[in-house]
Amino acid sequence: MANTILKFKTNYDVYSKIEPFYKGGKVQISNDEKYIFATCGSRVNVLEISSGKIVHSVEHDDQEDITSFTLSCDDEMLVTASRALLLKQWDWRNATCTRSWKAVHTIPVASMTFDPTSTLLATGGCDGTIKIWDVVKQYCTHNLKGSSGVVHLVEFHPDINKLQLFSSSSSDCDIRLWDLRSSQCVCMLQSHYSAVTALSFSPDGGIMVSSGRDRICTVWDLETNEAKRTVPVYETVEGVVFLPGNADFSQIGVKSKDLHFITAGSKGVLSVWEASTARCVYTQTLPSNLSHVSKEEEEGDNPRSLKYLFHLPTSSRLATVTAEHNIIFYQLPALTTQQQFVGYNDEVLDVKFLGKGDSHIVVATNSCHLKVFELLTNSCQILYGHTDTVLTLDVFKKGSIFASSAKDRSLLVWQMDSNSGQVRCVAQGSSHTNAVGSIACSRMKASFVVTGSQDCTLKVWDIPADLSTAGHIHHLTARATEKAHDKDVNSIAVSPNDKLLASGSQDRTAKLWSLTGEGTVGLLGVFRGHRRSVWAVCFSPIDQVLATSSADGTTKLWTLQDFSCLKTFEGHDASVLKVIFVSRGTQLLTSGSDGLVKLWTIKTNECVKTLDAHQDKVWGLHASRQDDKMVTGSADSNITVWVDVTEVELAEEQAKQEDQILKQQELSNLLHEKKYLKALGLAISLDQPHTVLTVIKAIRQGEDRLELLEKTVLKLRVDQKESLLRYCAVWNTNARNCLDAQAVLQVLLTHLPPEELLQYQGARTHLESLIPYTERHMQRIDRLLQASMFLNYMWQKMRVAGAPSGMDQDKEMDTTPLGQTQPFFVIDKEKRKGDSNEKEDVIDVSDDEEDEDPDCIVEEGEDDDEVSATEKASKSNGVNSKTNGGLHSVSEESSEEEGLEEEEDQTPVKTMKNIPVSSARQSQSLAS
């Protein structure tokens, strides 16, 4: 049992995250081809291409959206423009703003670019003007007016000696050529009838090609500023680049040495064109033959349409940006897909581990495409096949085959190549009459798939034994169909032995089905108890138990024998969307609409840990086959991979405890050796205020305690003094420890200047908290002093029995504090031991208050009986009393009044201290 407890998980930690870095707008790649710069709202994110991680991010303080940005040609400066009409210059590697200035434009900046020397910056505004800035000398050099509408395109000529700027605006659709020497528009290149989207220059700078949304590209001769050729491309073109002329591109149809350019547009494919003949020599094929591009998609609704095109000459690659915010890298000359990054996943609906060793994850987002991420590099494969939003996923046991279902009423089966990691579709089926919202794969081997639909039915599909036929897609037919629920089927699960099936529905019930029948699905029982719809069902891997989660915020465990509820787990504030078993069926993981993931221990019904890393509904939840990781996907577009850190935390806790024990032993040794400075520093490092107080008390108990305390405290470091001041504020709240706290405060306040004290972290707060408790302690001490003075007064005013009634006690009152008064007398006990010399028994009044008890008037015997002081005095011939330097002999028959009068005449002030022996019995009775 102990081993089982040790295997319980206690915590998960974030291992990696796939988060959105691009939500539309401008994208730029650094000249060293290592980083991608992309806008994401009010931020510009810097993505490292090799790792796929966001390594830097710059954001405007005003939280205004960034409308445009540009990176200098030397990759040193980043300049951003926001809706607040501010331009900011950044040291992007350190994410620090080095300069900020007003853009002068009356409305936001729409486009900007650097010249090849990285000294001139051109900004095109929505107000139709263009500003040229000298970023080195920090002033505006040109204000170019004349454009109509938004200036959405500005580009410097690659030859800086020409000092030419090309621009285009949204209204006139012309390309303006500006001479920066004269600040005049020297030419207008008129060819397009729609917005010009991109410009590209030949390697020698003599030829330029422009692309537009009017489905044409125009080749320009920049020597004569005339159009050489108009190339109809039959699609809306968003990007165009020249191919370098010194490489072999025969694989993509380039047979001659003439100039060729590549276009990217609404069809979502790359096309290669010969500039001299206006002939298309190569067109990229679609990623999948399962779907085609309709005419409506060609008009601009195609999610695969391309928005940007970049040429990376160093690595001989092309980069494109799609309308779905995906960035794809192609390797030249074959135009093979090399790398893909997903800028924005939208709402993540489901996520599963995939591949050998769970090296990949497959994600269903709010789109018709599936995304397979490699966890090591975040590189993504985009799988095309469904024609509507993919709703759910499930993976077979081996992890290389998985199935998906979508709103297009179909299911697809996919297989991953174990060597290359490439995924292809191997089977498809479609016979539901509504969206297929749930799917489950067989657990033992890849033999069948079960689907649940919004048409309230369940279907069982047999999977062919051989799916490895290249290029062939199997068509699946349903083996069994069953009307399962009265409302939508939200979730289904197959038991570990492939004999049972569970389904959860919007009708608030879960049902158990038998899969053993040939061609039929038999109902075994119904689980009733949830107050709202059931979102997820899951079989235990070891017990005959079913877990269900519901929109009522609860998770329930049910027995499969009598369909009764065994346990209910409550803790989520909203719908529980997913539930899975971990730790060999002894724990549960749940995710909910509140963005939380909770870890539960079934035996104790206890929520062990709550994980908070999402801001919206967590639709996807899956555990790895090794049970050491899990992945979550949320509607906030974040995908988080978690790793089990139970053993790591346990090892850290054990190491911490061992270290604490060693330090405690060292502290005890230091206190024993009276090395208070090291002991105090060690106690503070342990952050144990009680231990620090013990050291302070030990210091204050020794000799020269004040000097030793000052010497020890003043030698502490500044951070240790800060901690000591914080501890004093706590100690001062307790009357038992206030003296130690006040002693330390006295040292700090006496020897440290106020300026230094106020620099301590939280010093003001601590000092303010000290004042009321210190005042309370002072008031308590004042009350004690008053009470002690009153007690002293009452003691002195008490009249001893037998004293003269006329004695003027007001004049003779002794105002000496009670602690300093002499004891009345001490009885010599040697008499009880048989001392024969009883005549020498003396009543001694000692001056040492530590040796004698001032409150003790008569000593009591310990043997047979009590002997009063009067009886003892009667057996002796006389008693010698030494008082104020004088000896007085008092006999048993002498008059007490005469003795008092005689003593009153000699020392009138000390009357109450000289009490005759004969009245000792009466004094003892009064004291009692």
Side-chain angles (χ1 to χ4, degrees):
M1 194 65 185
N3 294 332
T4 305
I5 295 176
L6 289 177
K7 292 179 181 178
F8 284 168
K9 302 181 188 303
T10 58
N11 194 13
Y12 284 87
D13 196 11
V14 176
Y15 177 73
S16 64
K17 293 187 73 172
I18 301 175
E19 52 188 338
F21 67 89
Y22 172 57
K23 294 183 179 180
K26 186 175 180 179
V27 175
Q28 189 171 349
I29 299 176
S30 61
N31 286 335
D32 60 8
E33 302 177 9
K34 294 181 179 179
Y35 302 99
I36 300 173
F37 293 76
T39 54
C40 187
S42 61
R43 293 177 291 132
V44 173
N45 291 319
V46 184
L47 188 80
E48 189 177 31
I49 296 177
S50 60
S51 65
K53 308 290 185 182
I54 298 176
V55 293
H56 304 289
S57 182
V58 299
E59 184 174 9
H60 280 237
D61 297 333
D62 52 15
Q63 301 292 318
E64 291 284 348
D65 286 348
I66 292 176
T67 57
S68 184
F69 75 92
T70 187
L71 181 69
S72 62
C73 296
D74 57 6
D75 294 338
E76 293 298 325
M77 287 183 292
L78 176 70
V79 179
T80 60
S82 69
R83 293 188 180 276
L85 305 181
L86 283 178
L87 294 176
K88 287 182 178 287
Q89 180 179 323
W90 301 85
D91 177 8
W92 58 271
R93 288 184 173 87
N94 298 318
T96 56
C97 179
T98 57
R99 183 190 169 208
S100 178
W101 70 97
K102 291 184 178 180
V104 184
H105 293 277
T106 57
I107 46 181
V109 174
S111 59
M112 56 184 5
T113 187
F114 270 102
D115 76 326
T117 65
S118 301
T119 57
L120 295 180
L121 172 69
T123 59
C126 296
D127 55 2
T129 64
I130 301 171
K131 317 289 184 187
I132 309 296
W133 307 85
D134 189 327
V135 295
V136 177
K137 298 181 180 179
Q138 301 181 0
Y139 69 99
C140 181
T141 61
H142 299 76
N143 184 13
L144 308 178
K145 299 180 180 180
S147 302
S148 59
V150 177
V151 181
H152 62 272
L153 179 64
V154 287
E155 196 73 39
F156 281 97
H157 192 283
D159 186 1
I160 190 58
N161 295 322
K162 291 188 176 182
L163 283 178
Q164 291 179 343
L165 178 71
F166 296 86
S167 69
S168 180
S169 60
S170 58
S171 297
D172 52 21
C173 304
D174 297 332
I175 302 174
R176 295 176 182 267
L177 175 58
W178 302 86
D179 183 7
L180 299 184
R181 291 184 176 88
S182 61
S183 299
Q184 299 294 325
C185 177
V186 297
C187 183
M188 293 182 64
L189 308 180
Q190 298 178 338
S191 173
H192 292 278
Y193 297 95
S194 185
V196 179
T197 55
L199 302 176
S200 181
F201 298 89
S202 63
D204 59 0
I207 303 295
M208 181 183 75
V209 61
S210 62
S211 64
R213 295 195 176 103
D214 53 4
R215 298 169 175 254
I216 64 170
C217 290
T218 304
V219 181
W220 304 89
D221 185 352
L222 296 183
E223 298 296 332
T224 60
N225 294 331
E226 293 181 353
K228 292 181 61 176
R229 177 75 64 178
T230 299
V231 181
V233 294
Y234 308 110
E235 67 171 333
T236 300
V237 183
E238 297 290 342
V240 59
V241 295
F242 271 110
L243 278 175
N246 54 359
D248 180 18
F249 296 105
S250 58
Q251 296 184 45
I252 53 176
V254 178
K255 305 297 183 181
S256 65
K257 297 296 183 181
D258 293 338
L259 287 176
H260 291 74
F261 60 88
I262 299 179
T263 59
S266 58
K267 290 183 179 180
V269 295
L270 300 177
S271 300
V272 182
W273 303 83
E274 189 174 15
S276 58
T277 62
R279 184 171 57 92
C280 179
V281 297
Y282 178 81
T283 299
Q284 192 181 26
T285 57
L286 289 172
S288 174
N289 57 2
L290 290 174
S291 58
H292 63 279
V293 181
S294 63
K295 292 183 178 181
E296 291 78 7
E297 289 178 335
E298 286 186 10
E299 295 297 329
D301 295 333
N302 181 15
R304 281 181 282 178
S305 64
L306 304 178
K307 298 300 181 183
Y308 291 94
L309 177 63
F310 305 98
H311 179 230
L312 311 179
T314 303
S315 59
S316 186
R317 291 188 296 177
L318 294 176
T320 61
V321 181
T322 70
E324 281 196 329
H325 311 120
N326 303 323
I327 301 176
I328 308 173
F329 289 86
Y330 298 98
Q331 186 66 53
L332 290 173
L335 285 183
T336 56
T337 303
Q338 186 193 48
Q339 213 170 0
Q340 299 185 60
F341 296 107
V342 177
Y344 184 61
N345 283 310
D346 203 357
E347 188 171 0
V348 179
L349 301 181
D350 205 357
V351 59
K352 292 286 190 294
F353 279 107
L354 185 66
K356 185 178 180 181
D358 297 322
S359 58
H360 295 69
I361 57 173
V362 57
V363 182
T365 62
N366 194 19
S367 73
C368 58
H369 312 312
L370 289 171
K371 299 179 177 69
V372 178
F373 289 91
E374 184 181 3
L375 293 178
L376 187 61
T377 62
N378 280 3
S379 181
C380 175
Q381 298 178 54
I382 300 176
L383 308 181
Y384 300 93
H386 288 287
T387 58
D388 206 340
T389 303
V390 181
L391 297 176
T392 185
L393 303 163
D394 198 17
V395 182
F396 286 95
K397 184 177 181 180
K398 291 185 178 180
S400 60
I401 304 176
F402 66 96
S404 61
S405 62
K407 285 184 178 180
D408 59 7
R409 309 174 187 178
S410 69
L411 73 98
L412 297 179
V413 180
W414 309 80
Q415 187 175 32
M416 170 182 278
D417 188 292
S418 58
N419 297 321
S420 64
Q422 296 297 314
V423 180
R424 64 184 183 91
C425 180
V426 294
Q428 64 176 350
S430 177
S431 64
H432 281 286
T433 59
N434 209 330
V436 184
S438 56
I439 193 168
C441 298
S442 56
R443 298 292 93 192
M444 299 185 70
K445 59 181 181 178
S447 57
F448 64 89
V449 173
V450 184
T451 56
S453 171
Q454 292 181 9
D455 59 13
C456 308
T457 63
L458 297 175
K459 290 182 181 291
V460 183
W461 312 76
D462 286 325
I463 302 296
D466 185 15
L467 296 173
S468 59
T469 306
H472 179 69
I473 298 177
H474 298 271
H475 293 275
L476 306 179
T477 56
R479 181 203 349 150
T481 301
E482 183 71 27
K483 174 70 165 59
H485 291 273
D486 297 331
K487 293 184 179 180
D488 300 354
V489 179
N490 289 334
S491 176
I492 54 178
V494 176
S495 64
N497 60 3
D498 287 347
K499 294 181 179 180
L500 299 175
L501 173 70
S503 61
S505 171
Q506 289 284 112
D507 61 8
R508 307 179 187 179
T509 65
K511 293 184 179 181
L512 185 66
W513 308 83
S514 173
L515 292 174
T516 56
E518 292 294 332
T520 60
V521 178
L523 179 64
L524 298 178
V526 182
F527 304 95
R528 290 186 174 89
H530 284 293
R531 298 187 303 274
R532 299 186 67 180
S533 59
V534 178
W535 276 114
V537 293
C538 184
F539 281 100
S540 170
I542 57 173
D543 296 322
Q544 295 185 6
V545 171
L546 180 74
T548 61
S549 62
S550 169
D552 59 12
T554 65
T555 302
K556 292 180 180 291
L557 284 184
W558 310 81
T559 176
L560 302 184
Q561 280 76 21
D562 56 3
F563 313 108
S564 61
C565 180
L566 298 176
K567 288 180 180 290
T568 300
F569 302 89
E570 297 182 359
H572 285 278
D573 296 332
S575 301
V576 185
L577 303 176
K578 285 283 186 178
V579 57
I580 59 174
F581 284 90
V582 291
S583 304
R584 296 185 179 181
T586 59
Q587 290 181 295
L588 291 174
L589 278 171
T590 59
S591 64
S593 297
D594 50 9
L596 301 177
V597 178
K598 291 181 178 289
L599 175 65
W600 307 83
T601 299
I602 295 176
K603 182 178 180 180
T604 61
N605 267 50
E606 177 188 5
C607 178
V608 179
K609 189 69 177 180
T610 298
L611 307 173
D612 186 6
H614 295 286
Q615 306 298 322
D616 208 337
K617 300 179 182 69
V618 182
W619 287 108
L621 175 65
H622 191 231
S624 64
R625 289 189 292 276
Q626 297 296 328
D627 204 23
D628 59 342
K629 293 180 182 177
M630 72 166 175
V631 61
T632 56
S634 171
D636 60 5
S637 186
N638 287 316
I639 302 168
T640 305
V641 180
W642 306 80
V643 62
D644 179 17
V645 294
T646 302
E647 295 183 359
V648 175
E649 289 186 346
L650 183 61
E652 291 178 351
E653 184 65 25
Q654 290 177 348
K656 185 178 179 181
Q657 290 178 359
E658 292 174 0
D659 186 58
Q660 290 278 358
I661 293 172
L662 291 176
K663 288 185 176 181
Q664 289 286 357
Q665 183 61 44
E666 183 182 358
L667 182 62
S668 300
N669 296 338
L670 291 173
L671 286 176
H672 181 71
E673 297 169 3
K674 296 185 178 181
K675 296 180 179 180
Y676 296 121
L677 179 59
K678 290 184 178 180
L680 189 60
L682 182 59
I684 293 175
S685 67
L686 292 174
D687 195 21
Q688 296 180 353
H690 182 71
T691 307
V692 177
L693 180 62
T694 304
V695 177
I696 295 295
K697 288 181 180 292
I699 295 175
R700 296 186 68 242
Q701 287 176 357
E703 298 180 358
D704 299 329
R705 53 190 181 185
L706 182 58
E707 295 179 3
L708 183 58
L709 183 62
E710 291 179 358
K711 181 180 178 182
T712 305
V713 171
L714 294 178
K715 285 185 178 180
L716 295 175
R717 299 193 308 269
V718 174
D719 59 324
Q720 293 174 333
K721 292 178 183 177
E722 290 178 356
S723 301
L724 195 58
L725 181 61
R726 185 175 74 252
Y727 298 156
C728 286
V730 178
W731 299 338
N732 197 49
T733 60
N734 192 331
R736 295 181 179 179
N737 306 325
C738 65
L739 294 179
D740 302 293
Q742 293 294 330
V744 176
L745 288 174
Q746 181 181 3
V747 174
L748 294 176
L749 296 175
T750 304
H751 295 83
L752 298 181
E755 295 80 7
E756 181 179 347
L757 276 175
L758 290 176
Q759 291 178 357
Y760 289 177
Q761 184 178 3
R764 292 182 181 273
T765 305
H766 299 325
L767 293 175
E768 289 176 358
S769 65
L770 285 167
I771 294 174
Y773 284 99
T774 303
E775 292 178 348
R776 186 180 300 177
H777 296 322
M778 293 302 298
Q779 294 172 1
R780 179 172 53 83
I781 294 173
D782 288 343
R783 291 195 299 270
L784 287 174
L785 286 175
Q786 292 174 8
S788 63
M789 290 300 295
F790 179 74
L791 180 62
N792 191 24
Y793 173 77
M794 292 299 296
W795 174 256
Q796 299 295 344
K797 293 293 290 182
M798 283 195 301
R799 186 171 62 86
V800 180
S805 59
M807 184 172 60
D808 190 0
Q809 295 184 10
D810 291 337
K811 294 182 180 180
E812 299 171 0
M813 184 185 74
D814 184 8
T815 58
T816 305
L818 187 61
Q820 299 177 3
T821 58
Q822 305 289 344
F824 294 117
F825 52 84
V826 176
I827 306 297
D828 191 356
K829 296 183 179 180
E830 293 297 329
K831 179 177 176 295
R832 296 187 180 182
K833 296 181 180 181
D835 189 1
S836 60
N837 192 7
E838 296 180 353
K839 296 181 180 180
E840 294 181 2
D841 289 341
V842 179
I843 300 176
D844 184 19
V845 181
S846 174
D847 293 331
D848 190 358
E849 64 182 18
E850 294 182 356
D851 297 334
E852 302 295 336
D853 188 356
D855 296 330
C856 180
I857 300 177
V858 178
E859 293 283 343
E860 293 183 359
E862 297 179 356
D863 297 328
D864 299 326
D865 54 355
E866 297 180 2
V867 181
S868 66
T870 307
E871 293 173 346
K872 288 185 178 182
S874 64
K875 293 180 181 180
S876 61
N877 295 326
V879 179
N880 295 327
S881 176
K882 184 179 179 180
T883 305
N884 294 331
L887 296 175
H888 302 274
S889 298
V890 184
S891 66
E892 185 177 355
E893 293 84 4
S894 63
S895 172
E896 294 178 0
E897 294 182 2
E898 291 179 358
L900 286 172
E901 289 176 0
E902 183 180 356
E903 192 68 20
E904 184 179 1
D905 292 337
Q906 293 179 4
T907 55
V909 178
K910 301 294 184 177
T911 302
M912 296 300 293
K913 288 191 176 182
N914 297 309
I915 301 176
V917 178
S918 61
S919 62
R921 182 188 300 271
Q922 299 167 350
S923 299
Q924 182 180 5
S925 62
L926 285 174
S928 61

